[in-house]
Amino acid sequence: MPDQDQAELRLSVARLRQEHEDYDVAINAMIKTGCDALRIQRMKKKKLIIKDKITKIEDQIIPDIIA
């Protein structure tokens, strides 16, 4: 994989990690304020989708090596 493509993927991962952290903070704030459970569940689902995207991109950056 060319270095530029790998750098772009790493940048995408960094952005997604920040978004994931932002969702985590928002979810914790919603829990503390007693927000609607359905809204919290939706936020958790979005957070999980972001985590899956991060994993998928990281797999592209570091492919499995079969020994």
Side-chain angles (χ1 to χ4, degrees):
M1 174 179 296
D3 289 341
Q4 185 174 358
D5 291 344
Q6 195 169 16
E8 289 175 9
L9 289 175
R10 289 184 190 279
L11 183 60
S12 295
V13 168
R15 287 182 187 146
L16 287 171
R17 283 188 182 171
Q18 181 61 50
E19 189 175 350
H20 186 266
E21 181 64 27
D22 292 344
Y23 271 107
D24 196 37
V25 170
I27 289 167
N28 288 333
M30 291 170 74
I31 291 170
K32 287 180 183 177
T33 60
C35 193
D36 181 31
L38 183 59
R39 285 180 132 179
I40 294 171
Q41 197 63 30
R42 287 179 182 161
M43 293 286 279
K44 286 182 178 182
K45 186 174 181 178
K46 289 179 182 180
K47 182 181 163 191
L48 183 60
I49 290 169
I50 291 170
K51 183 66 174 173
D52 290 342
K53 287 180 183 180
I54 291 170
T55 302
K56 189 179 286 188
I57 293 172
E58 285 177 340
D59 287 345
Q60 289 177 346
I61 295 171
I62 306 170
D64 292 338
I65 299 173
I66 300 172

